[in-house]
Amino acid sequence: MRTFTLAAVGPAEIEAARSANPKAFGDPLRRTLVIGSWAVILGYLLYSLWLFEFWKLFASSDNAVRMITRMFVWQDMDTWMYAQIYKGIAETIAMAFLGTLLATILALFIAFAAARNTMPLFLPRQATRRVLDVLRGVDQVIWGLVFVRAVGLGPLAGVLAIFVSDTGTLAKLYSEAIENIDRKQVEGVTSTGADGVRTIRYGILPQILPVFISLSLYSFESSTRSATILGLVGAGGVGMVIIERFRAGLFDQVAFVVLNVLVVIAVIDWVSAKIRKRFIGERGH
């Protein structure tokens, strides 16, 4: 490698050093692309802020401060109709439980029709997968609006929305778990002369049971949160209590209900972790 003294450094020597060690001087094209990319990102960010009139957030900051303040200043707590609040919370939990339970049962059967190793026929397998794409591709709130229109206001619409949406998601995840099972255990059961049902019972289900439990519990936790949102579109539960009080400007009661929902979700998460630990071990904790 050529060496240069301070006195000998000139344009020719600099160019020679640049040619010999291009990374030490940086790549002009790469630097231009990086600067250009950041300029595009910054320009798009500024355009988005202008498009959505982001400055209105600062213009209405006084209203936001007043609303938040009212959430933390609780008044006339003896008139809050606690029975209605806790009935709505209980209804939300029941909606999530029933919808998830039904989805879990149906998804387990559908998963075998969507898994490659249990459904070798291409067309039925692909048809099943496309149906699952539709079920989970439509947001749960949209399903809630559909079933509110079909069966009317109330928790039944929420249960059906959770059931349909969770069926698509769980069946997809169950099918992937089935495809990843150990074939040797299945072959061992089959070699004993077991039929298809016994092969599934003793060769496949024991392998996917930990995943089955973990996904079902997580789905119940998620559905509890979703059931709260579904109530906002008229699908029953505590969401209807929240929207009624919000429209009435009772922000202190809204905050109280939300805090109760957070406590319920935290308890469900804690119980789910204990169940996972019991059936799956430390890895499920």
Side-chain angles (χ1 to χ4, degrees):
M1 179 182 294
R2 296 179 61 185
T3 58
F4 305 94
T5 63
L6 184 61
V9 173
E13 285 74 13
I14 293 176
E15 187 61 33
R18 187 187 298 275
S19 300
N21 303 279
K23 293 183 178 180
F25 291 87
D27 186 349
L29 178 60
R30 180 183 178 85
R31 185 167 57 252
T32 301
L33 290 176
V34 171
I35 294 175
S37 299
W38 279 108
V40 171
I41 293 173
L42 180 60
Y44 188 72
L45 174 62
L46 294 176
Y47 170 74
S48 300
L49 294 176
W50 171 82
L51 180 65
F52 298 114
E53 301 178 339
F54 200 73
W55 63 84
K56 288 184 177 180
L57 178 63
F58 303 99
S60 58
S61 58
D62 292 341
N63 293 333
V65 169
R66 282 195 296 268
M67 183 181 70
I68 294 174
T69 301
R70 291 177 61 185
M71 284 185 174
F72 291 96
V73 179
W74 295 358
Q75 299 176 346
D76 302 325
M77 295 181 62
D78 56 332
T79 63
W80 282 11
M81 295 184 292
Y82 296 99
Q84 185 183 22
I85 293 174
Y86 289 110
K87 178 183 176 182
I89 293 176
E91 194 173 79
T92 295
I93 298 172
M95 287 166 52
F97 176 77
L98 183 57
T100 303
L101 178 63
L102 296 176
T104 297
I105 296 171
L106 181 60
L108 184 61
F109 290 98
I110 297 177
F112 288 99
R116 184 177 295 105
N117 53 344
T118 55
M119 176 52 71
L121 299 177
F122 178 79
L123 289 180
R125 185 176 70 248
Q126 290 299 318
T128 302
R129 291 184 174 185
R130 299 294 77 78
V131 171
L132 296 180
D133 289 342
V134 173
L135 296 182
R136 72 175 187 276
V138 179
D139 191 80
Q140 211 168 70
V141 175
I142 304 301
W143 284 120
L145 291 171
V146 170
F147 286 114
V148 164
R149 181 69 176 178
V151 302
L153 298 173
L156 178 59
V159 171
L160 294 175
I162 294 171
F163 166 61
V164 171
S165 179
D166 283 4
T167 297
T169 301
L170 290 175
K172 168 66 174 177
L173 297 174
Y174 291 166
S175 67
E176 292 178 352
I178 293 172
E179 290 179 345
N180 292 321
I181 61 173
D182 183 6
R183 293 295 303 173
K184 293 181 180 180
Q185 184 171 334
V186 178
E187 292 169 357
V189 175
T190 305
S191 66
T192 64
D195 56 18
V197 175
R198 287 185 173 85
T199 299
I200 293 174
R201 167 64 181 85
Y202 297 104
I204 297 178
L205 285 181
Q207 296 190 60
I208 67 171
L209 184 61
V211 178
F212 174 85
I213 294 174
S214 180
L215 291 176
S216 298
L217 289 172
Y218 175 76
S219 181
F220 174 55
E221 297 171 25
S222 178
S223 295
T224 304
R225 294 188 293 268
S226 299
T228 303
I229 304 300
L230 289 172
L232 301 180
V233 298
V238 73
M240 295 187 70
V241 177
I242 293 175
I243 196 64
E244 287 174 359
R245 283 159 172 71
F246 198 88
R247 288 172 177 170
L250 303 174
F251 301 118
D252 49 352
Q253 297 186 35
V254 171
F256 176 78
V257 175
V258 171
L259 287 175
N260 276 270
V261 172
L262 293 177
V263 171
V264 169
I265 292 174
V267 171
I268 292 174
D269 179 68
W270 179 78
V271 173
S272 298
K274 293 296 182 182
I275 296 175
R276 282 194 294 266
K277 185 177 179 180
R278 168 67 177 80
F279 287 96
I280 304 172
E282 293 296 335
R283 292 177 301 174
H285 181 62

